[in-house]
Amino acid sequence: IEVRLRKALGGFLLDAAFEAPAGVTVLFGPSGSGKTSLVNAVAGLIRPDAGRIAVGGEVLYDSGDGTDLAVHRRRVGYVFQDARLFPHMTVARNLAYGGTADRDRVISLLGLGGLLERRPAALSGGEKQRVALGRALMSDPRLLLLDEPMAGLDGPRKALILPYLERLRDEVALPILYVTHDVGEAARLGTTMVLMQAGRVRKVGPVGEVLADPEVARDMAGRDAGVVLTGRVTASDGGLSEVETGAGRIVVQGAMATGSMARLRLPAQDVMVALDRPQGLSALNILPARVEALTGTADGGMDVALRAGTERLLARITARSAAALNLAPGLQVHAIVKARALPG
């Protein structure tokens, strides 16, 4: 995906540029940062003042040579915050309205087989979004745009739909632009993160790399700050699983299939720092690490960037604790994380 555009929207200027490889590109940032406007420009719903938009080498818009494909020629599937299904149509007819491409595969991928004869009024919020995803996929798009598709869902319903989105990411060779301001969604689903602020792109890179940047974490509150690790599940027993990552072996809560790949999010506020390896501690994860940098946070705390093996970790502690430990770049320490603090 290649995006370079400039658009004046009243008193707001969208001036954004990035390139992203295949996979899920997460447009991440606070409300009002320009994420939805950028997606609308890619879809052809907003015409940029200048720039270039291309997907897989196919140019959708280029102010330099006058290219500006009509919306219906861009082959873009768009799923909005609200599913926007036709209330008088069954699920089967809503899907068919999108098209007929890969019908059986789409129905199987999104688990829609038991819903085909229902109408939208009889569906839950998560089911409606799965139908909307299916309708978009059956239009045979070259690009899928998801604008905060889970914004209206509570925690349990998000947990139900996330595995379907992961299957979509892993099994369908289709680039996806995914808009969210939820760091958990970004960490779990994203391949690349485009961090937006006030209409501009602040940083672009692999999701784990962007979230682990102390300068980015500094402006994140609470559990938003943290890192993402990937690894292979080496054992699972008694409600706990062991995942081998670049930072070392990490024990997490929950059963996972041995041999499968896992993605773990480590919130910075759940990582403690010790100068010596603790003894007689219930925490299952104690990782040797080296201090790389210390960055003050917006609320007066301190983010400690740590290098554990080949991975970067973040610990959010108080400035008082950092001073008491006399933390400084190069210091060898231990990072401590409870297993139950590790959401996958």
Side-chain angles (χ1 to χ4, degrees):
I1 301 174
E2 176 191 351
V3 174
R4 187 178 70 253
L5 61 88
R6 182 181 178 89
K7 176 68 176 179
L9 299 164
F12 180 81
L13 178 62
L14 179 62
D15 189 1
F18 67 88
E19 293 185 21
V24 178
T25 300
V26 175
L27 298 180
F28 183 78
S31 296
S33 58
K35 305 184 299 296
T36 295
S37 295
L38 189 151
V39 166
N40 285 339
V42 172
L45 303 178
I46 292 177
R47 191 175 193 275
D49 298 328
R52 174 183 165 89
I53 301 169
V55 179
E58 182 76 17
V59 178
L60 309 185
Y61 173 83
D62 191 330
S63 59
D65 63 13
T67 299
D68 186 11
L69 293 187
V71 174
H72 67 278
R73 293 184 56 207
R74 295 195 178 201
R75 289 182 51 209
V76 170
Y78 202 146
V79 178
F80 299 87
Q81 291 183 25
D82 51 337
R84 302 193 184 185
L85 303 178
F86 295 107
H88 62 291
M89 292 184 180
T90 62
V91 167
R93 290 183 62 198
N94 267 284
L95 291 173
Y97 189 86
T100 59
D102 292 329
R103 180 182 188 275
D104 292 341
R105 184 186 181 200
V106 168
I107 290 172
S108 174
L109 180 73
L110 298 174
L112 301 176
L115 307 177
L116 296 178
E117 298 309 314
R118 296 189 196 177
R119 283 186 166 81
L123 302 178
S124 69
E127 289 169 340
K128 291 176 182 176
Q129 287 300 76
R130 280 157 52 197
V131 175
L133 277 168
R135 183 174 63 183
L137 288 171
M138 284 172 60
S139 69
D140 191 27
R142 64 159 60 93
L143 171 68
L144 194 59
L145 307 177
L146 306 182
D147 187 6
E148 302 206 52
M150 294 192 287
L153 305 180
D154 58 20
R157 286 180 174 80
K158 282 186 180 182
L160 290 174
I161 197 173
L162 275 168
Y164 292 102
L165 292 172
E166 288 175 319
R167 288 187 67 187
L168 183 62
R169 176 196 65 202
D170 298 337
E171 298 180 23
V172 180
L174 183 69
I176 299 172
L177 272 182
Y178 189 99
V179 175
T180 185
H181 61 267
D182 184 304
V183 71
E185 291 176 33
R188 182 163 173 176
L189 297 173
T191 306
T192 302
M193 176 174 281
V194 177
L195 181 62
M196 296 191 65
Q197 187 174 34
R200 294 179 177 272
V201 173
R202 178 177 173 185
K203 189 175 181 67
V204 180
V207 169
E209 181 181 300
V210 174
L211 290 177
D213 186 336
E215 291 298 319
V216 172
R218 178 184 60 190
D219 298 327
M220 292 185 174
R223 297 183 67 82
D224 283 355
V227 302
V228 179
L229 302 180
T230 58
R232 188 171 297 278
V233 179
T234 56
S236 185
D237 184 49
L240 296 173
S241 298
E242 296 182 7
V243 182
E244 193 63 40
T245 74
R249 187 206 64 157
I250 296 180
V251 178
V252 303
Q253 195 169 42
M256 300 182 181
T258 301
S260 65
M261 296 301 295
R263 182 182 292 207
L264 310 174
R265 185 165 66 91
L266 281 66
Q269 69 179 27
D270 291 329
V271 179
M272 296 182 288
V273 179
L275 296 180
D276 301 309
R277 183 178 179 85
Q279 301 295 322
L281 194 67
S282 63
L284 297 176
N285 298 306
I286 302 174
L287 304 172
R290 183 184 74 255
V291 177
E292 284 194 330
L294 294 96
T295 307
T297 65
D299 60 2
M302 188 70 67
D303 278 342
V304 184
L306 305 168
R307 178 64 58 178
T310 60
E311 299 284 357
R312 170 176 275 180
L313 307 181
L314 280 178
R316 176 159 291 184
I317 62 178
T318 64
R320 180 175 179 177
S321 293
L325 294 173
N326 199 27
L327 298 181
L331 183 66
Q332 295 295 322
V333 296
H334 290 82
I336 304 161
V337 190
K338 292 182 178 180
R340 68 179 184 181
L342 291 165

